[in-house]
Amino acid sequence: METRLPEDFRRSSEGQEAERILRSCVHCGFCTATCPTYGVLGDELDGPRGRIYLIKQMLEQGRAGAQTREHLDRCLLCRSCETTCPSGVEYHRLLEIGRKRLEGLAPLPLQQRLLRGLLLRAVPMRHRIGTLLRLGRWVAPLLPAALRHKLYRPRPGSGFRARPHARRVVLFQGCVEPAALPAAREAALRLLDALGVRGDSLAGEQCCGALEHHLQAEHRARHRARRNLDLWRRALDEGAEAILGLSSACVLEIHEYPDLLRDEPEYLALAQRVLSRVQPFEVWLEGHWPVHWDGIARGRVAWHPPCTLQHGLRAASVVPNLLRRAGFEVLLPADSHLCCGAAGTYSLFQPAMSERLREDKLAALQALEPEVVASANVGCLMHLEPAAAIPVRHWVEVLAEAVPPDRPAP
Ligand code: SF4
Ligand code: SF4
């Protein structure tokens, strides 16, 4: 695609990146068919090709209005278009650059600015999320049924205590996970224990920074990235084998630290060194899977691959492989490439589209008549669970229940 970006912008690192990405798009439109918002609205400007065109126009002309904001804000950043694109267009980076520029040209409406401010204060703090979820549980009985069914109910852990082990990994927690997924964390610790490995939590660990990164508070996300990298370097130097995450959105954000820290050579080099040891828990587990766990389980599981796992990390087949090896029947819903509508804070800013995508996703999952829906990201689980007619759980809980608790370390 031909571009005519203003000279001063072209000279900046973001300008060069935007120009490279815009030029890599050949305008074929293959991506449009796999875009969830285009699928619902049928408007070219609510698909990737249309959004690329809007960003190009905005960057070239230095102008944008409410219509541009509306179409760009509706993007879920799910990256389904990137999986489809035959030309390797890095759409997510172009959208990030475009959204940054949009801030100055067509500011968010006041109500959404207030919501963003509130989220930036509340969500990256673990204790505040725990308080909010507890508050939700206490007031739930007082709420009308329609609202009550929107509240996520975390599954508590049972107080499992691991045995001491010399081998260890770091089990990253992030900001939402400790309050929202205590049972999943315990399940992961139980599997690690059965494999003779300790799962450590690191004092001083920060939120991965995804929320701040996507809410235009990049400086705060960079600060968290630097703190985490310093901690992980120390942990790896002291013998930790890997840094593992149970939520694909966090792992993807961590894998993007080099982009975030591109103007800080020292931390960029550290990120590139450390990130080869940061993995989704399932990827590590696949490499350490003991043969005697084959065929231990029974049951039908519907698998919902989070966008961050399938389109971001490109590792959606690992969990189904593990569950199948364990003996589960694993079913994939129709249109499994489509987002469930969670997309970080999207459900708060775009509730109608988010709700519609959730309804479609749950209909596709429940049509499989599984005993349980399994997924791998805290956001998807919190979004789907309150509206589902069947249990929605982290895959690691489903798997850990199949492994006998008293099995000695191999
Ligand atoms: S599929 Fe790729 S090259 Fe084709 S229009 Fe979409 S982004 Fe551009
Ligand atoms: S990231 Fe998702 S919602 Fe956004 S344009 Fe691409 S496919 Fe559509």
Side-chain angles (χ1 to χ4, degrees):
M1 190 187 285
E2 202 186 315
T3 55
R4 288 198 191 84
L5 300 179
E7 203 44 45
D8 54 337
F9 181 58
R10 271 189 64 205
R11 278 199 296 269
S12 68
S13 64
E14 286 200 336
Q16 283 164 19
E17 195 178 3
E19 182 161 60
R20 177 181 59 75
I21 299 170
L22 284 168
R23 289 191 171 201
S24 66
C25 175
V26 296
H27 230 59
C28 63
F30 288 159
C31 52
T32 306
T34 58
C35 170
T37 53
Y38 177 81
V40 171
L41 299 167
D43 181 342
E44 170 78 13
L45 295 179
D46 280 310
R49 184 170 60 176
R51 290 184 176 122
I52 289 172
Y53 184 72
L54 286 173
I55 296 169
K56 175 180 182 294
Q57 214 175 27
M58 172 175 66
L59 296 178
E60 284 178 344
Q61 299 173 1
R63 280 200 311 268
Q67 196 203 17
T68 302
R69 173 163 282 287
E70 189 183 350
H71 294 297
L72 296 190
D73 282 355
R74 261 195 218 127
C75 174
L76 296 137
L77 206 50
C78 68
R79 305 198 197 178
S80 173
C81 48
E82 290 189 6
T83 300
T84 313
C85 176
S87 304
V89 173
E90 288 172 73
Y91 169 84
H92 75 281
R93 276 297 299 147
L94 184 67
L95 185 76
E96 278 174 17
I97 295 168
R99 279 183 169 167
K100 227 189 271 179
R101 189 88 175 94
L102 191 63
E103 278 295 290
L105 299 173
L108 261 187
L110 178 66
Q111 202 186 354
Q112 298 206 350
R113 278 211 302 279
L114 292 173
L115 176 59
R116 182 167 69 182
L118 197 71
L119 286 168
L120 285 171
R121 277 174 184 279
V123 178
M125 313 291 171
R126 275 182 201 161
H127 62 283
R128 292 187 191 163
I129 297 166
T131 307
L132 285 174
L133 285 174
R134 271 195 302 280
L135 201 66
R137 265 206 311 278
W138 291 333
V139 300
L142 310 172
L143 294 174
L147 211 56
R148 200 160 57 231
H149 293 145
K150 287 182 189 258
L151 288 178
Y152 170 73
R153 290 152 297 172
R155 294 166 49 78
S158 62
F160 168 77
R161 292 180 73 85
R163 295 164 293 174
H165 301 289
R167 289 183 62 196
R168 65 192 184 96
V169 295
V170 172
L171 204 51
F172 177 75
Q173 298 192 86
C175 58
V176 182
E177 210 180 282
L181 295 181
R185 184 169 184 84
E186 190 175 290
L189 290 172
R190 208 157 78 67
L191 290 178
L192 285 169
D193 185 58
L195 292 167
V197 180
R198 200 173 86 205
D200 283 352
S201 312
L202 295 184
E205 180 193 84
Q206 301 285 304
C207 157
C208 66
L211 182 122
E212 288 158 334
H213 186 181
H214 296 128
L215 289 180
Q216 311 302 324
E218 243 188 49
H219 60 291
R220 288 169 57 168
R222 273 198 296 275
H223 170 73
R224 293 188 193 281
R226 287 191 293 264
R227 297 270 308 270
N228 280 336
L229 287 168
D230 284 335
L231 269 183
W232 296 336
R233 168 176 45 192
R234 227 175 2 257
L236 291 169
D237 287 349
E238 287 168 2
E241 294 178 19
I243 317 293
L244 306 178
L246 291 172
S247 277
S248 54
C250 303
V251 179
L252 179 60
E253 176 65 21
I254 293 165
H255 275 252
E256 286 176 355
Y257 282 180
D259 263 345
L260 202 59
L261 300 165
R262 61 191 166 280
D263 296 326
E264 300 179 43
E266 193 189 324
Y267 275 100
L268 175 61
L270 178 59
Q272 283 160 343
R273 180 161 77 83
V274 166
L275 293 192
S276 61
R277 310 277 286 278
V278 180
Q279 294 176 312
F281 184 72
E282 58 268 35
V283 172
W284 181 89
L285 187 60
E286 192 180 40
H288 295 78
W289 182 267
V291 178
H292 64 262
W293 286 4
D294 280 355
I296 50 179
R298 294 282 173 275
R300 280 165 73 83
V301 181
W303 165 236
H304 166 54
C307 297
T308 40
L309 190 64
Q310 61 174 327
H311 304 305
L313 295 162
R314 308 274 169 115
S317 61
V318 181
V319 170
N321 288 345
L322 291 176
L323 292 173
R324 283 192 186 110
R325 278 195 72 176
F328 289 104
E329 184 185 355
V330 183
L331 309 153
L332 207 59
D335 293 329
S336 64
H337 62 283
L338 292 181
C339 179
C340 65
T345 55
Y346 187 89
S347 58
L348 300 172
F349 288 94
Q350 301 286 334
M353 176 63 74
S354 171
E355 184 91 358
R356 166 67 195 271
L357 293 172
R358 177 166 73 171
E359 276 168 19
D360 291 352
K361 182 60 71 184
L362 283 174
L365 287 163
Q366 286 165 183
L368 301 169
E369 299 184 356
E371 284 147 38
V372 62
V373 171
S375 195
N377 184 48
V378 64
C380 306
L381 293 163
M382 290 179 75
H383 182 60
L384 293 175
E385 189 271 343
I390 44 176
V392 177
R393 301 173 64 188
H394 195 287
W395 67 270
V396 79
E397 289 176 63
V398 177
L399 181 60
E401 272 173 17
V403 175
D406 56 350
R407 189 173 287 274

